[in-house]
Each structure stands twice: as structure tokens, then as C-alpha cells.
């Protein structure tokens, strides 16, 4: 189990007894060092066995020093630069090959918005530019002001940082839609038509490989498979069912994160695999060795999150995004447009408390800020079982309506079956800081000496969290501060300029539950009218949808 938890148990308990400043987090904006209209935070440097940043004796220099990885955008992705297939579900490539009409059809049939013409137009314009027009870069990746651009790269994404702070991700070239990059290189990858890297421990990296390049005449009709590799060995995980090609459908699979259980002699991976009827279902991959590239692998379907439930395609796809040292798995399942829930075909978030259980079942987030049918995007989980991501902050009907606004959250889940008893005190103390419940992160950046600085930001997405408690995030910024500290305050009386920025949320040393001052809601309408609102600041209030994530 995590030495990080064992080393910080006493520190966390001591900090809980000391005086606290108001607000739990300081918002630290990160300069990207690359150009782009909008800047997004995608991953945070792992903290290893460092002390918790909630500890009253923690160093602000150390806590603010964890590197953030991010990306820029000048326009939306045509479809995600990360995903194996369009919209994370189009494994027949039917939507994408129909050009603009396909984008609009996806929105109409799978999202149901009344604004599908607008939604489709933005994304089709990007796809057209990337496919038929030019190779003008749209996604420039960076780590704390330093550009990360592999040789020949056009669009680059960083999915995670390894323990040494090295980037893990993929990039496009003139001949490949996606090529993996990480500190762990393997010659087999260069022979693959496409490859993606999602997570690495510095020795092994996981991701996927594809059978065609996704460029030029091969932009449609390719299959992919989950993969794990070291510097000398490469393993492709078998598909769980079906065929590589079945009529108009092409098998897909991906491993997004992993954990090596040395004591148990197993390796656990998470992601999705291909099953009967070519369904893409959330999966736990189980290898029978602590040496992943020597293991025999099997795929365990995560029930309740699969596509086919009792004979109906309730979901269009699902994926497990992260696993931690306690064998806790988190992920998301996209509700099918034919089976909306509470007025939305949402991307629902789930948890599996024990990846080693004999029966693997997903439980969807519910209660508190997680209302019935709430959609969002999973960010990550640390070894304190603290989960971050984004979630709907409005619950109006999306089907035949408009997109719901979303905001970043943190969910201190607490103890799970595989959590070692020696770590119980540390996890319990950390959970108490949050009053043992989930919060919108905007509520935890309000008040105290940091209030004025923090009031310049509303936190849209939380993409990753390390064991020290530092979070990588994306915010909408109103320079100088919003008109009030409320959730829905105006920027400059509705005429100010907002922009999308990458930020770190750094715990304020010594803070505890008494520091929480939830933001209020203004009673006046808050439809923003600022001249500075481009596509990012507008759509980021709803479901922008390019972020993975994502993974640690």
C-alpha cells in the first residue's frame, strides 16, 4: 500500500488540530509558454511520499512547485485528439464520414441539444481544417511554461505526468493521426499505424495501438487494442469478444491506467475493451503477474456501466479512467441518446471500490452535488481516495434544450475494502477537512486572505490530483475579480472580458473544515454578454467535451 499515506498520517492528524485560514485552496495561474486563445490544465506532477500540503508545516514553495501539464486551443477539436474513435463511441465511423451532417446527427441523436447546428458547426469547421485544409496546430502542449512538442508534431496532448514529471501522451504528424510519447520508448510502437500513451510509472506505459494511420485515405475504418509496454517488451491485450471487423463495426480497446500489486503478484489495468456486438465497455484488465509484460491477461467487464443492459443499449460506451494503490477504480458511462435520464443523455461518473472483487459492479455518483442523471467528466483519483473531475451544476432539461453548465468538484470517498488499516487515520483525517462530503471546488476557494485573488477564477474542470492534495484544473478568469463572490457573479457587470486559463489549486497550509465558506448565488440573471467571450469561454460553461480525462 501507499507509503505516502503511512508517512503523512501523523502530519494530517496534527494539522487538523491547528488553527486554519479561510478557504481551503489558493488558485495559482500557470503561464503556458506556448501560444493559444484558451489554456487548459490536464495533469499534475505526482508527489510521491511528500507530506500533505494541508499540513501546517508544509512548504508553500514545494506545494506550488508541483508541475502542471496543459494544452492550448484556438478552436474545439474536430473530434478528440485523445480518443481512439470519434466521440469515444463511433466505431463504425458512420458519423465522422458524413462530414458536417454526421456531426449534426451525432449531436441530435446522442446529445439531443436544441443547439445542434451551432454545436456541429464549430466542430465540423475544425475537422475540415484538420482533414482537408491545413495542418495548422490547434493543441500545443506544455509543462509549466516549457513547450512539449515531439519532432514532427502537429497537435500534441499530455494525458499524465510520470513519477519523474515526464509527459505521457500522443501527437499527430502528417502521416499519423496519433503517435504515443513517454519516457518509456519501445521500437514496436513505431511499426504501429497509430499509438496512444495514457499513463506510465517510468518502467511501464499503457495505452493503445491501431491498425491504420487515421490520416489520408485511411482516416476511417481502423481498429485498436489495449497495450502495455516497457523499453524491451510489448504486449497487446486480446479483445474480450467479437471480431476485429464485424460488418460496419471495428473493434476498439484502450488501457488508461494501471497498478502493479507486487504483494499480490498481479497487475491491474483499467480502460475499455471490445465485447460482443462490438460494444465498447468499461473494463478491468487483470494480469497474473507483477511483471506486466510477462503476464497472461484477462478482461473483467464492469457491470452496470456496460452498453447493453437487459437487452437495451442503455449506454453508448463506457470507460474506466483511473485506478489507485487501494484498487479503487473510477470511470464514466455515456448514456445513449435513446435512453436519456432526467432529461439528459449524460456522461455519468462511477466508482468500483475493489478491482479484485469477484463481482465487478459500478456505482454511479449520487447524492449531494451529484443529482439524478448528472453528467460530467472524470478527472482522477489519488491514494487518499480523493476523486476530482467536473459535474453538471445545473439540472435543467438538456434534451430539446441547452447544455448544462458544469463546474469542477472534489469527492473525498473515504475507506474502501483494500485500504490498509494503517492508512485509515490519514484518510479519515483528510476526509474530515472536506466535512466528509463532495464539493464544487469554487466553494473551497472562497474567503480569507486568498479571497480577492481567488475571486478572479471560477473553476470549470479538475483534471488530476496528487497525494499532496494539489489539483490541476481549468478556470474561467475575470481579471481583477468578479463583481461578487457568488457562483454566478457577473464579470464587469456583464461587459467584462473572461478567458480560459490553466490553474493549480494548492491547499492552504493548516486549513481545515472550519475554513469552508460556500459561495452564494445571485438572484439576478447572469447571462454573460462580455465582448471577450469566444468559443471557449462560452462553451466551457456547458459541455466542452475535449478533455479526457483523463488519467493520472
Amino acid at each position: 500500500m501507499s507509503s505516502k499515506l503511512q508517512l503523512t498520517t501523523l502530519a494530517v492528524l496534527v494539522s487538523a488540530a491547528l488553527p486554519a485560514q479561510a478557504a481551503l485552496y489558493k488558485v495559482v495561474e500557470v503561464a503556458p509558454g506556448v501560444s493559444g486563445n484558451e489554456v487548459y490544465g490536464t495533469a499534475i506532477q505526482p508527489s510521491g511520499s511528500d507530506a500533505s500540503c494541508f499540513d501546517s508545516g508544509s512548504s508553500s514553495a514545494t506545494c506550488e512547485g508541483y508541475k502542471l501539464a496543459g494544452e492550448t486551443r484556438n478552436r474545439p477539436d474536430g473530434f478528440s485528439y485523445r480518443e481512439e474513435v470519434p466521440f469515444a463511441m463511433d466505431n463504425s465511423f458512420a458519423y465522422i464520414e458524413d462530414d458536417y451532417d454526421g456531426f449534426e446527427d451525432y449531436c441530435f441523436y446522442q446529445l439531443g441539444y436544441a443547439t445542434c447546428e451551432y454545436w456541429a458547426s464549430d466542430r465540423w469547421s475544425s475537422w475540415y481544417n484538420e482533414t482537408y485544409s491545413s495542418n495548422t496546430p490547434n493543441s500545443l502542449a506544455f509543462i509549466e511554461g516549457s513547450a512539449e512538442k515531439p519532432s514532427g508534431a502537429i497537435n500534441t496532448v499530455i494525458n499524465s505526468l510520470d513519477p519523474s514529471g515526464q509527459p505521457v501522451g500522443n501527437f499527430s504528424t502528417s502521416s499519423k493521426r496519433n503517435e504515443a510519447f513517454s519516457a518509456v520508448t519501445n521500437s514496436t510502437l513505431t511499426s504501429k499505424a497509430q499509438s496512444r500513451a495514457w499513463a506510465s510509472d517510468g518502467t511501464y506505459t499503457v495505452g493503445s495501438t491501431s491498425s491504420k494511420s487515421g490520416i489520408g485515405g485511411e482516416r476511417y475504418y481502423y481498429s485498436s487494442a489495449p497495450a502495455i509496454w516497457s523499453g524491451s517488451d510489448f504486449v497487446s491485450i486480446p479483445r474480450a469478444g467479437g471480431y476485429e471487423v464485424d460488418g460496419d463495426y471495428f473493434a476498439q480497446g484502450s488501457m488508461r491506467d494501471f497498478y502493479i500489486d507486487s504483494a499480490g503478484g498481479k497487475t491491474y489495468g483499467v480502460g475499455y475493451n471490445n465485447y460482443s456486438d462490438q460494444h465498447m465497455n468499461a473494463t478491468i484488465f487483470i494480469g497474473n503477474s507483477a511483471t506486466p509484460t510477462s503476464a497472461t491477461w484477462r478482461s473483467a467487464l464492469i457491470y452496470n456501466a456496460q452498453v447493453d443492459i437487459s437487452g437495451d443499449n442503455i449506454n453508448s460506451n463506457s470507460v474506466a479512467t483511473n485506478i489507485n494503490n487501494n484498487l479503487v477504480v473510477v470511470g464514466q458511462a455515456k448514456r445513449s441518446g435513446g435512453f436519456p435520464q432526467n432529461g439528459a443523455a449524460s456522461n455519468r461518473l462511477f466508482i468500483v471500490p475493489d478491482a479484485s472483487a469477484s463481482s465487478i459492479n459500478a456505482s454511479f455518483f449520487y447524492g449531494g452535488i451529484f443529482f439524478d442523471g448528472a453528467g460530467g467528466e472524470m478527472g482522477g483519483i489519488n491514494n487518499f481516495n480523493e476523486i476530482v473531475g467536473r459535474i453538471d451544476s445545473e439540472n435543467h432539461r438538456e434534451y430539446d434544450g441547452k447544455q448544462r453548465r458544469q463546474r469542477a468538484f472534489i469527492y473525498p470517498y473515504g475507506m474502501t475494502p483494500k485500504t490498509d488499516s494503517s492508512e485509515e487515520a490519514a484518510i479519515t483525517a483528510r476526509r474530515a477537512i472536506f466535512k466528509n462530503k463532495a464539493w464544487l471546488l469554487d466553494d473551497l476557494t472562497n474567503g480569507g486572505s486568498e479571497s480577492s485573488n481567488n475571486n478572479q477564477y471560477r473553476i470549470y474542470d479538475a483534471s488530476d490530483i496528487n497525494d499532496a492534495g494539489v489539483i490541476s484544473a481549468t478556470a474561467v478568469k475575470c481579471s481583477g475579480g468578479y463583481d461578487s463572490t457568488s457562483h454566478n457573479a457577473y464579470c464587469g457587470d456583464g461587459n467584462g472580458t473572461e478567458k480560459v486559463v490553466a490553474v493549480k489549486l494548492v491547499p492552504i497550509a493548516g486549513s481545515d473544515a472550519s475554513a469552508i465558506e460556500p459561495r452564494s448565488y445571485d438572484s439576478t440573471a447572469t447571462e454573460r454578454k462580455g465582448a471577450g467571450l469566444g468559443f471557449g469561454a462560452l462553451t466551457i460553461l456547458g459541455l466542452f467535451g475535449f478533455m479526457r480525462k483523463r488519467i493520472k
Side-chain angles (χ1 to χ4, degrees), residues 437-450:
K437 65 178 184 178
W439 292 89
L440 296 180
L441 282 165
D442 280 336
D443 283 323
L444 307 183
T445 63
N446 186 40
S449 60
E450 293 296 336

Side-chain angles (χ1 to χ4, degrees), residues 36 41 47 67 81 91 151 206 216 288 315 434 458 546-547 552:
S47 56
K67 299 293 187 181
Y81 301 130
N91 57 340
S151 177
V206 297
N288 64 354
N315 297 307
F434 302 98
R458 294 295 181 268
F546 87 77
M547 309 297 256
K552 289 195 297 182

Side-chain angles (χ1 to χ4, degrees), residues 87 94-107 119:
F87 314 123
Y95 286 123
I96 204 72
E97 70 176 345
D98 284 342
D99 294 333
Y100 171 82
D101 290 341
F103 280 85
E104 189 173 18
D105 284 346
Y106 171 78
C107 181
W119 187 96

Side-chain angles (χ1 to χ4, degrees), residues 79-131:
F79 73 85
S80 173
Y81 301 130
R82 293 183 160 85
E83 295 293 343
E84 281 74 18
V85 294
F87 314 123
M89 58 81 68
D90 185 17
N91 57 340
S92 70
F93 299 89
Y95 286 123
I96 204 72
E97 70 176 345
D98 284 342
D99 294 333
Y100 171 82
D101 290 341
F103 280 85
E104 189 173 18
D105 284 346
Y106 171 78
C107 181
F108 181 80
Y109 289 110
Q110 291 297 333
L111 302 177
Y113 305 147
T115 56
C116 280
E117 288 186 7
Y118 169 79
W119 187 96
S121 178
D122 267 1
R123 286 153 183 81
W124 157 245
S125 295
S126 282
W127 174 243
Y128 182 90
N129 179 74
E130 295 161 12
T131 308

Side-chain angles (χ1 to χ4, degrees), residues 151-166:
S151 177
I154 299 172
N155 291 308
T156 306
V157 296
I158 296 176
N159 292 321
S160 64
L161 296 174
D162 72 14
S164 298
Q166 296 301 303

